[in-house]
Amino acid sequence: MREKVEAVLDKVRPMLQADGGDVELVDITDNGIVQVRLQGACQGCPMSQITLKNGIERTVLKLVPEVKGVEAV
């Protein structure tokens, strides 16, 4: 599953990088929660939670159905 999640993150990464940010996969828990670290301009951005939920999580859940959620660590 890790490879699938990395592939999805590679799809959303250009959108983040266009705004000076990035995302790093930290871990996938046993219960299907993907833990990511927002980097660059995304770190501390007031819109980062919206980016996480509406951009990253929505795409990961759509393309990797075994994932239950995405959270920032």
Side-chain angles (χ1 to χ4, degrees):
M1 178 172 26
R2 187 172 187 91
E3 294 81 22
K4 289 181 183 178
V5 172
E6 284 282 9
V8 173
L9 292 179
D10 285 342
K11 291 178 189 252
V12 299
R13 198 166 267 129
M15 171 190 69
L16 300 172
Q17 290 172 340
D19 290 328
D22 207 343
V23 63
E24 171 192 4
L25 177 60
V26 175
D27 196 14
I28 301 173
T29 66
D30 292 338
N31 58 351
I33 302 298
V34 173
Q35 296 176 327
V36 298
R37 181 174 297 119
L38 296 173
Q39 300 175 322
C42 292
Q43 208 175 17
C45 171
M47 300 297 285
S48 64
Q49 277 303 94
I50 294 170
T51 300
L52 180 68
K53 293 296 176 186
N54 292 342
I56 299 170
E57 184 176 61
R58 181 181 292 168
T59 306
V60 170
L61 292 176
K62 180 179 176 185
L63 298 176
V64 188
E66 55 265 41
V67 168
K68 303 298 181 225
V70 177
E71 65 182 30
V73 294

